[in-house]
Amino acid sequence: MDARTGKKIRLGRLFDEKSHKTLIVAYSHGVIMGSRPGMHSLDEMQRISMSLGRANGIMIAPGQVTRLEESFIGRQKPSLIIHLDYQSFSRDVMPYTEGATVEMARIEDVAATGADGVMTYLYMGYEDPEREKMEIARNARLARECERWGIIMMIEPRSAREARNPTDKTDPKILGLYCRVSAELGADLVKCIHPGNEDALRSVIEGCTTSVLVAGGSRADKPEQAYARAESAMRAGAAGLVYGRNIYESADPAAELDRYLQIVHG
């Protein structure tokens, strides 16, 4: 037997067999941002996660797996993606100028849940190069563990300098660098922020040797803005989307999900 088969089976569940694209709902913001609209209480999370059954995947934090497990049980239910890393870079309350990352579970624990994949962060550009080295080593280790257990690995690379240099977040050169590094480490999927320019995003995607999924980011002021960004991402060659707040914070998450499924799969 070969763990590569496990990855192929799991990727086959996550990606639509006709469009070969995927839409993952990121429903794990509570672990880095606390209580939010659309995930204020457990009852609300259970109701909303059940309403998102048409998603290709739903990403949740490790501690919510048993609480939301009914959303993943059944042949037609979404893939379970585990938000593996805690990070302290992007929260609004008690923010750090430079944060840190740490995984919240082992890959063998993830495999035991029946999950198809994990998402980790890769922060680059620390003032201290030793910290970047440690992040590279950590993600490389996790990539080898995912290979051993047949688990999909998605890396979300980010700049460690975003708080001081907000332009890092959408700089195509920085995006291109850390997306390619993520692929070289062994990521099956790379989650990338849209730089705001379709040609720039296309260049980043073309320069990455694995599938790129585009992040939804903060909730847009108007839904049409988020739709336009999603459509741009798909035109640029994205393999799919990882959208969260623009779906689960809406008045009707199931209807909003259907709108994005149409954008991704046609």
Side-chain angles (χ1 to χ4, degrees), residues 236-258:
L241 305 175
V242 183
Y243 266 49
R245 287 167 280 183
N246 285 292
I247 294 175
Y248 70 75
E249 289 188 8
S250 67
D252 188 343
E256 205 67 7
L257 172 65
D258 285 343

Side-chain angles (χ1 to χ4, degrees), residues 123-139:
Y123 277 90
M124 297 178 61
Y126 291 95
E127 289 293 320
D128 180 1
E130 189 70 15
R131 293 190 67 189
E132 181 171 292
K133 184 190 82 171
M134 292 171 63
E135 271 288 87
I136 294 291
R138 188 178 72 86
N139 274 271

Side-chain angles (χ1 to χ4, degrees), residues 1-37:
M1 293 187 292
D2 194 322
R4 289 179 298 178
T5 303
K7 283 210 180 202
K8 291 177 181 178
I9 289 171
R10 289 179 169 99
L11 285 165
R13 284 199 290 256
L14 182 61
F15 281 79
D16 184 89
E17 62 182 4
K18 293 181 180 178
S19 72
H20 306 293
K21 307 291 184 182
T22 190
L23 173 57
I24 299 171
V25 177
Y27 201 41
S28 56
H29 292 90
V31 77
I32 54 176
M33 296 181 178
S35 178
R36 297 190 56 81

Side-chain angles (χ1 to χ4, degrees), residues 27 38-39 41-49 64 68:
Y27 201 41
M39 51 167 50
S41 67
L42 179 58
D43 286 345
E44 184 175 44
M45 291 192 73
Q46 289 173 335
R47 175 176 56 80
I48 288 180
S49 62
Q64 299 291 11
L68 303 179

Side-chain angles (χ1 to χ4, degrees), residues 7-217:
K7 283 210 180 202
K8 291 177 181 178
I9 289 171
R10 289 179 169 99
L11 285 165
R13 284 199 290 256
L14 182 61
F15 281 79
D16 184 89
E17 62 182 4
K18 293 181 180 178
S19 72
H20 306 293
K21 307 291 184 182
T22 190
L23 173 57
I24 299 171
V25 177
Y27 201 41
S28 56
H29 292 90
V31 77
I32 54 176
M33 296 181 178
S35 178
R36 297 190 56 81
M39 51 167 50
H40 180 66
S41 67
L42 179 58
D43 286 345
E44 184 175 44
M45 291 192 73
Q46 289 173 335
R47 175 176 56 80
I48 288 180
S49 62
M50 288 295 290
S51 76
L52 300 175
R54 283 171 46 78
N56 298 109
I58 302 176
M59 182 167 66
I60 60 175
Q64 299 291 11
V65 171
T66 55
R67 300 178 182 124
L68 303 179
E69 62 186 7
E70 294 301 324
S71 301
F72 303 96
I73 298 173
R75 291 181 63 84
Q76 304 303 318
K77 293 298 180 70
S79 285
L80 170 58
I81 307 297
I82 302 295
H83 181 135
L84 194 69
D85 282 358
Y86 169 79
Q87 57 95 343
S88 53
F89 286 86
S90 54
R91 67 192 187 203
D92 298 325
V93 179
M94 297 175 65
Y96 290 100
T97 301
E98 248 185 28
T101 58
V102 63
E103 56 261 32
M104 297 179 284
R106 300 174 301 172
I107 298 302
E108 52 262 48
D109 299 328
V110 170
T113 69
D116 287 322
V118 298
M119 189 202 80
T120 70
Y121 292 101
L122 171 64
Y123 277 90
M124 297 178 61
Y126 291 95
E127 289 293 320
D128 180 1
E130 189 70 15
R131 293 190 67 189
E132 181 171 292
K133 184 190 82 171
M134 292 171 63
E135 271 288 87
I136 294 291
R138 188 178 72 86
N139 274 271
R141 170 180 55 80
L142 289 169
R144 304 295 80 78
E145 291 177 6
C146 284
E147 290 168 357
R148 187 177 309 117
W149 289 90
I151 298 293
I152 299 166
M153 183 180 189
M154 174 168 55
I155 294 180
E156 179 177 350
R158 301 281 289 270
S159 168
R161 310 180 309 177
E162 283 180 16
R164 300 190 310 275
N165 301 286
T167 56
D168 277 13
K169 197 168 185 177
T170 54
D171 186 322
K173 290 183 179 179
I174 293 174
L175 294 174
L177 170 64
Y178 61 42
C179 284
R180 180 58 182 258
V181 169
S182 298
E184 297 283 345
L185 288 173
D188 302 293
L189 307 170
V190 175
K191 179 185 173 188
C192 178
I193 293 170
H194 197 308
N197 178 284
E198 192 170 311
D199 288 336
L201 178 59
R202 183 176 294 107
S203 178
V204 170
I205 291 172
E206 289 175 350
C208 186
T209 56
T210 195
S211 298
V212 174
L213 308 180
V214 174

